Amino acid sequence: MKATTLCYIEKDDSYLMLHRTKKENDANKDKWIGVGGHFLEGETPEECICREVLEETGYTLLSYKLRGIIDFISDIYEDETMYLFTADEFSGEQIACDEGNLEWVKKSEMLSLPLWEGDKIFLKLLLEDAPFFRLKLEYKGDHLLGSALSFD
């Protein structure tokens, strides 16, 4: 099972979103997601999210929080454990991302974007300021079959 991170950076009641339009053979093509990515050898989740955010956005995270851990089970993609963060303080200047277009999206408009079905579940939890959670999402192809949620 691969390990990844994802971060929703907050500013002015908006999240910084990545519209995945530029990467070849992208499972996330045309979807809107937060920023993040795969672990490098020996990285902690915190080291990974800080590096990935800097690489994709130009921002250095100054304040961030682990909000949940999500297990993705799929019949066509490699199974994945994702560490989900939010961040509310950062420094630096935004850069262009080679995976898609970065855009600040109002939190009230988030759920109307083209998102993975499972992303809507954990985004609602973030928007409701839910406590730390574990979420299991099972997909068949690109369709969500089921989910299991627990809180610590």
Side-chain angles (χ1 to χ4, degrees), residues 73-77 116-117 138-145:
I73 309 301
S74 171
D75 64 335
I76 60 172
Y77 301 114
W116 287 100
E117 293 173 71
E138 293 187 61
Y139 280 89
K140 182 174 177 73
D142 291 344
H143 300 288
L144 185 64
L145 288 179

Side-chain angles (χ1 to χ4, degrees), residues 92-103:
E93 296 295 320
Q94 187 172 309
I95 60 172
C97 180
D98 62 3
E99 297 179 7
N101 298 313
L102 293 166
E103 188 174 321

Side-chain angles (χ1 to χ4, degrees), residues 107-120:
K107 290 180 182 180
S108 61
E109 298 170 8
M110 293 291 296
L111 299 177
S112 64
L113 296 173
L115 304 166
W116 287 100
E117 293 173 71
D119 289 18
K120 292 178 182 181

Side-chain angles (χ1 to χ4, degrees), residues 78-110:
E78 183 180 356
D79 292 347
E80 173 181 342
T81 296
M82 183 181 76
Y83 295 81
L84 179 65
F85 291 85
T86 54
D88 57 8
E89 289 182 44
F90 56 92
S91 65
E93 296 295 320
Q94 187 172 309
I95 60 172
C97 180
D98 62 3
E99 297 179 7
N101 298 313
L102 293 166
E103 188 174 321
W104 292 99
V105 177
K106 290 282 184 204
K107 290 180 182 180
S108 61
E109 298 170 8
M110 293 291 296

